[in-house]
């Protein structure tokens, strides 16, 4: 069993979609639970679309819980599922701290631009304070750019861990999400699905 908390103080970093696409992919081979503690409840709405389908190919458990009950909910779901993914609110409040404290890995999505890295500093500090392993991941990233290379160099200089796998700015991600699917289900032969598979494999490697 493993708990992955997706956290980032900056809104619009793609936390929810990342949790959904990873959850759908992992659900192809194991039991998966999602926990939505973001007040916007976008992950819960995605799950609702998924459940509205006649027969979701790969069932996923959803929990919407927050506050002091969160640690017990995470622990309970982790006992019953091989993978638990937590989507957090876009700020470092008490609930985000609890979700990070419960994590085996904290995943911090950033677009390859300085403001996203700056905004991630509070989340990185929180993970460090809780002594939880953390990895940055590029989301909505161009294949190559000077800015991306500069940001990769800054991340390395600061001693931060960046996953090699990155997700591009591809319409397949948005289209699958809007249908209550993961991109690996909606377009299994697409570049977007390949990126999710590569990212998931790297996450599994970190988790051991």
């Amino acid at each position: 069993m493993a708990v992955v908390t997706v956290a980032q103080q900056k809104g619009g970093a793609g936390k929810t979609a990342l949790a959904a696409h990873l959850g759908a992919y992992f659900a192809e081979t194991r039991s998966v639970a999602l926990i939505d503690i973001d007040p916007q409840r976008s992950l819960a709405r995605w799950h609702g679309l998924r459940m509205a389908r006649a027969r979701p190919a790969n069932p996923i458990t959803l929990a919407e819980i927050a506050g002091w009950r969160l640690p017990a909910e995470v622990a309970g779901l982790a006992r019953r599922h091989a993978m638990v993914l937590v989507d957090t609110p876009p700020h470092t409040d008490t609930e985000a701290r609890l979700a990070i404290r419960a994590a085996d890995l904290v995943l911090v999505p950033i677009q390859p631009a300085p403001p996203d890295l700056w905004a991630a500093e509070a989340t990185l500090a929180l993970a460090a304070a809780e002594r939880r392993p953390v990895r940055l991941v590029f989301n909505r990233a161009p294949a190559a750019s000077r800015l991306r290379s500069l940001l990769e160099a800054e991340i390395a200089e600061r001693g931060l861990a960046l996953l090699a796998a990155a997700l591009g700015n591809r319409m397949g991600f948005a289209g699958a999400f809007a249908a209550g699917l993961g991109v690996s289900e909606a377009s299994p032969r697409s570049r977007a699905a390949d990126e999710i598979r590569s990212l998931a494999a790297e996450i599994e490697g970190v988790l051991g």
Side-chain angles (χ1 to χ4, degrees), residues 12-69:
K15 293 184 300 82
T16 300
L18 180 57
H21 290 298
L22 284 172
Y25 172 73
F26 283 127
E28 295 174 15
T29 57
R30 70 203 74 184
S31 56
V32 171
L34 302 175
I35 303 178
D36 189 355
I37 62 172
D38 188 335
Q40 294 183 10
R41 294 296 187 259
S42 297
L43 189 59
R45 294 185 68 175
W46 172 83
H47 186 265
L49 290 171
R50 184 179 188 83
M51 295 305 295
R53 302 177 67 86
R55 290 184 180 178
N58 305 305
I60 296 174
T61 300
L62 175 79
E64 296 180 76
I65 197 159
W68 61 271
R69 295 180 296 169

Side-chain angles (χ1 to χ4, degrees), residues 57-160:
N58 305 305
I60 296 174
T61 300
L62 175 79
E64 296 180 76
I65 197 159
W68 61 271
R69 295 180 296 169
L70 179 61
E73 183 72 9
V74 173
L77 289 170
R79 285 192 296 270
R80 302 190 301 273
H81 297 80
M83 178 70 68
V84 178
L85 293 129
V86 186
D87 183 26
T88 61
H91 42 76
T92 51
D93 61 1
T94 300
E95 291 171 354
R97 179 181 293 276
L98 291 172
I100 286 172
R101 183 178 298 164
D104 297 302
L105 175 65
V106 180
L107 199 59
V108 183
I110 62 171
Q111 296 183 63
D116 275 46
L117 181 57
W118 300 337
E121 289 174 353
T123 301
L124 294 171
L126 189 54
E130 296 294 337
R131 299 183 180 180
R132 308 319 298 158
V134 61
R135 295 294 186 276
L136 296 166
V137 56
F138 279 153
N139 193 21
R140 299 171 182 159
S145 70
R146 183 173 181 273
L147 181 59
R148 176 172 171 171
S149 297
L150 290 172
L151 202 62
E152 288 172 339
E154 181 179 349
I155 289 169
E157 288 173 4
R158 293 176 57 176
L160 302 174

